[in-house]
Amino acid sequence: MTSQNAINWPAKYLPGTGDNFVSNEVIVAGVTAAQVWRFLIDTSEWERYYDNVADISFPHGGGPRLTAQLDFSFGTFGFPPLAAQVVEFQSPSEGVPGRLSWTAKQEGEPEQRLDVLHAWLVEDLPGGRVRVLTQETQIGRPAVALASERPNPMLNGHQAWLDGLVGAASQ
C-alpha cells in the first residue's frame, strides 16, 4: 500500500469551506521533483509556459525566485494584480515533498474582495515518476462567480499551468 502526501491547509482555507475550490494533479515519468520545482519557484519562467499570468512584481524587492515569506503580486484570470505572500516553502528532497503555498488578495468593495490560498505539492514517486498536485481555495464574491461557470475556469486554468510546468521541466 502506498500513501500520498497532502496539502497542509490553514483552517481559514480548508477545502469545502470557501466559495470555490479546485484540485488538479498530474503524475508523469521521466522528470524529477527537483526539475519541476526549479520552474515552479522561478516566476521569470511562468509566462513562458503558462499564458494566464502577467504583471509579476516584487513590491519589497527579492524575486524572481520565490522564497519563504516573500511578497509578490501577479495578474491572473482577468483580475488586476493580486497582492500575494509565500506562506509555505519547502524544497523537495529525498523522501520529502516540495511544498509551496501563497495567499493572494484583492481588496476593495465587497463585490471585488478576493482571498485565496494556492498550494503546490511536488514529490518524487517510485519508478522514476513525479507527482504534482495543486489546489486552491477562494473566498469572496468573485470566487462565487468563478465557481458557477461551466466549465470552471480555475480548474481548466490550473490544468494548463500543470501541463506547462511539467512540459518546461521535461525539456
Side-chain angles (χ1 to χ4, degrees), residues 32-54:
T32 67
Q35 289 170 301
V36 171
W37 188 256
R38 181 174 88 76
F39 286 93
L40 176 59
I41 67 165
D42 187 349
T43 64
S44 70
E45 295 283 353
W46 287 4
E47 290 181 68
R48 187 171 70 81
Y49 66 80
Y50 181 50
D51 65 4
N52 190 23
V53 67

Side-chain angles (χ1 to χ4, degrees), residues 4-5 22-28 121 123 125 130-135 155 158-159 162-163 166:
Q4 293 185 327
N5 289 293
V22 294
S23 179
N24 298 75
E25 177 181 42
V26 294
I27 299 175
V28 297
L121 188 136
E123 64 182 329
L125 298 176
V130 68
R131 174 180 178 234
V132 185
L133 171 67
T134 188
Q135 297 180 328
L155 191 63
H158 287 175
Q159 190 63 47
L162 276 178
D163 293 345
V166 169

